[in-house]
Amino acid sequence: MAIEYRGEKFAGYNKPKKTPNAGKSHAVLAKVGSEIKLIRFGQKGVSGSPKKAGESESYRKRRESFKARHAKNISKGKMSAAYWSDRTKW
């Protein structure tokens, strides 16, 4: 079920993808109810945090700091860039 939105193809709603030619590292076509929104998120060239299994203490603190710093925006749900960044990169 490929969806084309503003000349860009997505695998489906609420499915993030990498964006090689945009200013941000990822994009998602978010849909809640009947509202649809294109959200670009993530700094290019930054990997976020590695997977939790076997992560170092500094990466754990880095990940927790991100989640604490953006908790208010993450809680806004699928229509916020922080939600998708938390889910995809952290």
Side-chain angles (χ1 to χ4, degrees):
M1 176 177 123
I3 300 167
E4 190 165 339
Y5 185 79
R6 295 183 183 172
E8 203 167 339
K9 292 187 184 208
F10 291 87
Y13 295 114
N14 301 324
K15 298 194 184 298
K17 71 170 193 168
K18 289 195 173 227
T19 54
N21 298 324
K24 297 289 184 178
S25 66
H26 291 76
V28 65
L29 192 57
K31 182 177 182 180
V32 175
S34 63
E35 186 181 359
I36 298 170
K37 185 177 181 183
L38 174 61
I39 299 173
R40 295 187 188 282
F41 62 94
Q43 184 179 350
K44 273 236 184 264
V46 176
S47 63
S49 186
K51 299 296 179 201
K52 293 176 188 84
E55 76 180 348
S56 68
E57 182 68 18
S58 63
Y59 274 119
R60 183 187 64 79
K61 286 182 180 178
R62 184 171 168 240
R63 182 173 44 79
E64 288 174 355
S65 292
F66 173 86
K67 289 178 181 282
R69 189 169 58 246
H70 297 285
K72 188 175 180 181
N73 291 324
I74 291 169
S75 67
K76 290 180 182 177
K78 292 181 180 179
M79 291 303 200
S80 75
Y83 171 87
W84 291 106
S85 184
D86 177 51
R87 220 177 129 170
T88 306
K89 298 188 83 155
W90 295 92

